[in-house]
Amino acid sequence: MDVHDVTLSHAKAPAGDAITTKVESPPSRAAEALKDVTFGSIAGIVGKFVEYPFDTVKVRLQSQPDHLPLRYTGPLDCFRQSLKRDGFFGLYRGISAPLVGAALETSSLFFSYRLAQDLLQATVLQSMEPLPISALVACGAMSGAFTSLLLTPIELIKCKMQVPLETGGTVVHRPRPLTLITAVYRHHGILGFWHGQLGTLIREMGGSAAWFGSYEALSLALRKAHIPHVSSSTTKTEAELETETATTDTKPQLAPLPIHQQMLAGAVAGMSYNFIFYPADTIKSRMQTEDAVGGSRRGFWAVGRELWRQHGVRGMYRGCGITVGRAAPSSALIFTIYEGLRRAFE
């Protein structure tokens, strides 16, 4: 079942039944929203455990201060130094806030993605059901914009915890989450928790459009590969194809994508999400950790200009390889777990 299947409701005729189609009443919006939140949270937490050590390395690479020599020569050197200094579990330092963030992010993405589809179908695209891929990409962007507002405060604390305070290579202080929350509020007020919001907004809007869009498009392509009678000029989503085969006695019932194809679509989605708008995430991470490495708080464009002047494109994409690499298994698990749970509790 594809992600946008959650917006449609249909009954599947059991094998061997006569030409009888049972039409089920659509599930309540509250029940579907609860599924999105619950299943998205579970999937997000599992994915975060897989990717978090790589995320720690990414943030440390992104947050190296401009006024000092580079501390790490690359991802492998950062891994080596981090393991030597902090041990394996040191790579999971600060995971408490990201686990909450992962549950919040993934559940809100799936939940707001469905709401965006409902909004489009109730307004500008009333005659189009299911929605075309282009509309689903727009729904992904709207979902990301909503989710960015929830993520920025969590990522602010996460980034500050992932970058240890050092003097001459010696760790001098490792603040806890509550200490950081108190310090941010005391020095910058409630709005201080949204420092870096523009970077998160750009990353989440563009990234979520790519995440959902590439997953939907690749899932559709894999589905069409199994259905020779579907014309290449006809744009049909997985939900439409599944509806047709489930309610018509002259067509075979369409099974879900094989798990390896589902994971492939999820992996491609994760890599698309992280690569395309990676510079915005780099700028955001630097903004949120500048005061932790001896700098002053600056705006998005000021940090971006300085980073470009000193390091160019390479600086913008520092840590990108490890980020895209860890996104593939994480995103594959997220989509597979989410859709597996939805299928199990239909």
Side-chain angles (χ1 to χ4, degrees), residues 41-284:
S41 296
I42 294 171
I45 288 172
V46 173
K48 182 56 66 177
F49 270 112
V50 172
E51 70 175 39
Y52 193 75
F54 303 97
D55 187 65
T56 297
V57 171
K58 178 208 73 169
V59 170
R60 290 179 179 180
L61 287 170
Q62 289 177 326
S63 305
Q64 297 179 86
D66 296 327
H67 60 283
L68 296 174
L70 291 180
R71 185 177 300 135
Y72 312 111
T73 58
L76 291 179
D77 181 56
C78 185
F79 258 123
R80 181 184 60 79
Q81 290 193 41
S82 298
L83 287 172
K84 182 179 179 180
R85 182 182 56 214
D86 303 320
F88 175 75
F89 291 105
L91 294 173
Y92 280 91
R93 172 172 165 74
I95 196 174
S96 54
L99 284 180
V100 175
L104 188 63
E105 176 184 16
T106 313
S107 60
S108 64
L109 279 172
F110 284 116
F111 172 68
S112 54
Y113 182 59
R114 175 220 298 282
L115 289 185
Q117 292 177 72
D118 289 344
L119 178 64
L120 286 184
Q121 289 180 319
T123 54
V124 296
L125 298 176
Q126 296 182 26
S127 61
M128 303 186 71
E129 186 173 331
L131 295 173
I133 295 296
S134 58
L136 294 174
V137 170
C139 290
M142 288 187 278
S143 174
F146 170 76
T147 303
S148 71
L149 293 171
L150 307 178
L151 277 183
T152 301
I154 295 172
E155 292 201 352
L156 177 74
I157 302 303
K158 180 209 74 167
C159 288
K160 289 181 181 299
M161 292 193 67
Q162 287 177 314
V163 178
L165 303 178
E166 301 183 0
T167 302
T170 303
V171 178
V172 296
H173 189 43
R174 295 183 179 278
R176 295 184 177 275
L178 187 58
T179 303
L180 290 169
I181 292 170
T182 303
V184 170
Y185 181 76
R186 183 172 64 249
H187 291 101
H188 306 289
I190 192 68
L191 293 181
F193 290 101
W194 277 268
H195 183 60
Q197 168 61 27
L198 180 57
T200 309
L201 176 66
I202 294 172
R203 185 199 70 193
E204 287 297 314
M205 279 192 68
S208 296
W211 197 55
F212 283 113
S214 56
Y215 181 82
E216 298 277 16
L218 184 52
S219 294
L220 176 59
L222 292 172
R223 278 242 181 266
K224 286 184 175 182
H226 292 287
I227 307 176
H229 67 271
V230 176
S231 169
S232 60
S233 62
T234 303
T235 303
K236 293 188 177 184
T237 62
E238 180 185 352
E240 183 178 15
L241 295 172
E242 186 175 351
T243 302
E244 289 181 355
T245 57
T247 59
T248 306
D249 64 309
T250 59
K251 296 180 182 179
Q253 182 162 319
L254 187 65
L257 281 175
I259 190 168
H260 68 279
Q261 292 185 350
Q262 194 173 76
M263 295 191 77
L264 172 63
V268 171
M271 291 187 289
S272 300
Y273 171 96
N274 283 276
F275 179 76
I276 298 174
F277 290 90
Y278 189 82
D281 185 63
T282 298
I283 296 171
K284 188 250 344 162

Side-chain angles (χ1 to χ4, degrees), residues 290-326:
E290 279 185 321
D291 52 353
V293 293
S296 58
R297 288 167 64 100
R298 293 178 294 171
F300 182 86
W301 301 113
V303 172
R305 283 193 299 269
E306 183 69 14
L307 181 61
W308 178 265
R309 185 181 65 81
Q310 293 193 352
H311 304 289
V313 174
R314 187 172 182 177
M316 291 287 187
Y317 279 90
R318 185 180 294 152
C320 182
I322 194 172
T323 302
V324 172
R326 57 91 169 164

